[in-house]
Amino acid sequence: MSNTIYRQKPIFLSFLFALIGLATSLSAHAQTPTYPTKPIKLIAPVAAGGGLDNIARAVAEKLSRSLGQPVIVENMGGGGGAIASQATAKAPADGYTLMVAYVGTHGTNPAVRRLPYDAIKDFTPIGMIGATPNVLIINPELPIKNFKEFVDYAKKNPAKLSYGSAGPGTLTHLGMEQLKLAAGIFMVHVPYRGVGPAYTDLLAGQTQAMFPTLFAALPYIDTNRVRGLAVTGAKRSSAAPNIPTFKELGFSGFDGQQWYGIVGPANLPPAIVSKLNTELNKVLALHDFSEKMTSEAMTLMPMSPNQFSNYIKEDIARWAKVAKDRHIELE
């Protein structure tokens, strides 16, 4: 009998130790904090106020509720988004510092400037928020009613037309240069320090054309202070259904838009990226959020992190080609 008990002891002890190990593992797992455990900083690479800041705050409000922690917007303007981008790239890769990337920080600027950050290598793409198309607008005093007449007029009156932009290398500049090349027309570029002064001179007739976002242009289009001729993107915007796309008008490749998404520093843990992407896409699916963005001419564009990464790469390549074709290189 004693021999039987002796032989069973190792089996019993092994079973007991296995149970203890399992209990310890489960206890440790239960004590592991689930991200996020503290407030998250969402950097907006612009001064307070304006479209991007409004989008950042709308997203932050919804994410705060779904993540169970405050998502605090911190405005960090300057350098065309370079200061905010640097700060984000240098932050710990722990998911507690994120940034609203947009076409300037991760599209046009990397295509035309030497930057203190690498728009691809220094960041982890988390997800796209959405985009608003750009629109070709003109001063309504011009004897032009549609896009075809605009092209014909520009060809018959070389150098008579000038267009304003928010500055060299911005989307308002590169988009118009793309159009000039595609349509075979010439216009004088008048750069301003921001889109506000450019609008002032367009409305006063000092310049004749501009290529801003549809959202910014809508109040002027709706009051007939400017005339909208064509929009970028794959389809017409529901905010301005009477304005055709460039594609409809026979001009392919005009897909550039003012887009916004969320990024973090490079090497964010995959589990954190996946959670943030899931929660962001849930925000985009909310009816009240969707209605708010649609009212601002925004098309929501939920994407996986990989899809968003590819979108950024393609956008940089798009504007790099325009810059090369038009010999645009800025310090």
Side-chain angles (χ1 to χ4, degrees), residues 275-288:
K275 179 160 189 173
L276 287 170
N277 178 264
T278 298
E279 296 304 325
L280 175 62
N281 287 340
K282 286 180 182 178
V283 168
L284 303 187
L286 294 172
H287 181 68
D288 59 337

Side-chain angles (χ1 to χ4, degrees), residues 55 59 126-133 232-235 255-262 277 280-285 289-290 293-294 297-305 307-312 314-315 318:
I55 291 167
V59 170
I126 292 168
M128 174 73 96
I129 298 170
T132 183
T232 61
K235 60 182 181 180
D255 301 319
Q257 302 183 89
Q258 180 82 2
W259 58 262
Y260 309 90
I262 305 292
N277 178 264
L280 175 62
N281 287 340
K282 286 180 182 178
V283 168
L284 303 187
F289 183 85
S290 175
M293 293 298 106
T294 300
M298 172 88 74
T299 298
L300 298 180
M301 300 168 66
M303 295 182 184
S304 69
Q307 289 172 326
F308 185 35
S309 175
N310 289 335
Y311 186 95
I312 291 172
E314 290 169 3
D315 208 50
R318 178 203 323 281

Side-chain angles (χ1 to χ4, degrees), residues 87-105:
T88 304
K90 292 178 179 179
D94 56 8
Y96 292 99
T97 300
L98 308 174
M99 186 183 87
V100 179
Y102 74 110
V103 67
T105 59

Side-chain angles (χ1 to χ4, degrees), residues 9 16 31 42 44-45 64 67 78 147 155 168 170 201 210-211 236 247 256 261 272 288-289 330:
K9 267 187 178 180
L16 181 61
Q31 292 173 8
L42 179 61
S64 294
L67 291 171
F147 180 76
K155 287 182 176 180
T170 61
D201 275 6
M210 198 172 162
F211 211 170
R236 296 192 185 197
K247 187 175 182 179
I272 289 179
D288 59 337
F289 183 85
L330 307 173

Side-chain angles (χ1 to χ4, degrees), residues 121-323:
K121 295 179 181 178
D122 292 344
F123 299 88
T124 300
I126 292 168
M128 174 73 96
I129 298 170
T132 183
N134 277 50
V135 58
L136 173 63
I137 58 175
I138 60 170
N139 184 294
E141 296 300 317
L142 287 174
I144 296 168
K145 299 299 182 185
N146 55 50
F147 180 76
K148 183 180 183 305
E149 290 181 3
F150 173 79
V151 173
D152 290 343
Y153 184 89
K155 287 182 176 180
K156 293 174 182 177
N157 300 276
K160 267 195 174 183
L161 295 179
S162 62
Y163 77 92
S165 79
T170 61
L171 186 59
T172 50
H173 174 209
L174 295 181
M176 193 69 91
E177 290 300 316
Q178 181 187 20
L179 174 59
K180 286 167 60 177
L181 186 65
I185 59 177
F186 179 77
M187 288 183 286
V188 176
H189 175 214
V190 182
Y192 294 83
R193 290 189 175 183
V195 74
Y199 266 112
T200 299
D201 275 6
L202 174 65
L203 297 173
Q206 299 300 313
T207 58
Q208 291 74 46
M210 198 172 162
F211 211 170
T213 65
L214 178 60
F215 170 62
L218 272 177
Y220 303 105
I221 294 173
D222 291 342
T223 54
N224 298 315
R225 299 177 70 191
V226 300
R227 182 172 294 130
L229 301 182
V231 295
T232 61
K235 60 182 181 180
R236 296 192 185 197
S237 170
S238 59
N242 294 326
I243 303 179
T245 66
F246 282 95
K247 187 175 182 179
E248 287 179 67
L249 298 168
F251 287 77
S252 61
F254 282 80
D255 301 319
Q257 302 183 89
Q258 180 82 2
W259 58 262
Y260 309 90
I262 305 292
V263 299
N267 303 314
L268 276 183
I272 289 179
V273 175
S274 178
K275 179 160 189 173
L276 287 170
N277 178 264
T278 298
E279 296 304 325
L280 175 62
N281 287 340
K282 286 180 182 178
V283 168
L284 303 187
L286 294 172
H287 181 68
D288 59 337
F289 183 85
S290 175
E291 277 195 335
K292 176 178 173 59
M293 293 298 106
T294 300
S295 71
E296 298 183 1
M298 172 88 74
T299 298
L300 298 180
M301 300 168 66
M303 295 182 184
S304 69
N306 189 57
Q307 289 172 326
F308 185 35
S309 175
N310 289 335
Y311 186 95
I312 291 172
K313 292 173 184 176
E314 290 169 3
D315 208 50
I316 293 173
R318 178 203 323 281
W319 300 121
K321 183 180 186 307
V322 172

Side-chain angles (χ1 to χ4, degrees), residues 21-46:
L22 177 61
T24 302
S25 175
L26 289 173
S27 176
H29 180 74
Q31 292 173 8
T32 300
T34 302
Y35 170 87
T37 60
K38 61 181 182 179
I40 297 169
K41 178 167 64 177
L42 179 61
I43 296 176
V46 293

